Amino acid sequence: MTVSTLPVSVSTDAARTWSFIDRTTGNLMTVTCMPGCEMDHSTDMETPSHPDDIWCQSNSRDLTLPVNDSGKPEEVTVLAWTLNVRPFDAKLSQRQPHACVEVMQDAWIEDLAPDAFEGVIAALEQRVKLMREAHTQ
């Protein structure tokens, strides 16, 4: 089992501002990354890009546990998350910071607004509380 003991945090570095050429219009577009964005936008800056292809993302550190779903335990990523912003998305909700939680490898709860993300956290906290009670027994 691999468990990171380092605290998980999102960088508080100043937001980056950069520009790209909109591939569909030829216009120069300016983007300010969300705080903590870990994306390398150099390719977006160097070549014309479609605005839908622009997004900012911050990732959690991996946590893996030995999961047996086929008769043999295998290390699987669990409870990972990303924080995302898609500044030019057609859906206004995507233009705001939102979270996606990878419950188990390749199984996601997506597009969580802050209150919905808090709901997932609260549900997991309750489950951990019950697991601790079971452990005590």
Side-chain angles (χ1 to χ4, degrees), residues 80-131:
W81 67 89
T82 63
L83 302 179
N84 312 280
V85 172
R86 293 182 170 274
F88 303 103
D89 200 277
K91 292 172 138 179
L92 290 177
S93 63
Q94 297 293 300
R95 297 180 188 185
Q96 298 296 316
H98 57 281
C100 295
V101 177
E102 189 176 23
V103 179
M104 192 171 106
Q105 198 161 314
D106 299 326
W108 292 84
I109 302 171
E110 297 181 314
D111 303 333
L112 297 163
D115 288 345
F117 189 29
E118 177 60 33
V120 170
I121 293 166
L124 293 171
E125 283 177 335
Q126 181 61 28
R127 180 56 56 166
V128 168
K129 180 182 173 192
L130 294 171
M131 290 171 72

Side-chain angles (χ1 to χ4, degrees), residues 58-102:
S58 173
N59 299 295
S60 66
R61 291 190 179 97
D62 282 348
L63 165 66
T64 63
L65 294 172
V67 175
N68 181 349
D69 69 350
S70 63
K72 181 180 175 193
E74 136 182 20
E75 290 294 319
V76 173
T77 299
V78 297
L79 298 178
W81 67 89
T82 63
L83 302 179
N84 312 280
V85 172
R86 293 182 170 274
F88 303 103
D89 200 277
K91 292 172 138 179
L92 290 177
S93 63
Q94 297 293 300
R95 297 180 188 185
Q96 298 296 316
H98 57 281
C100 295
V101 177
E102 189 176 23

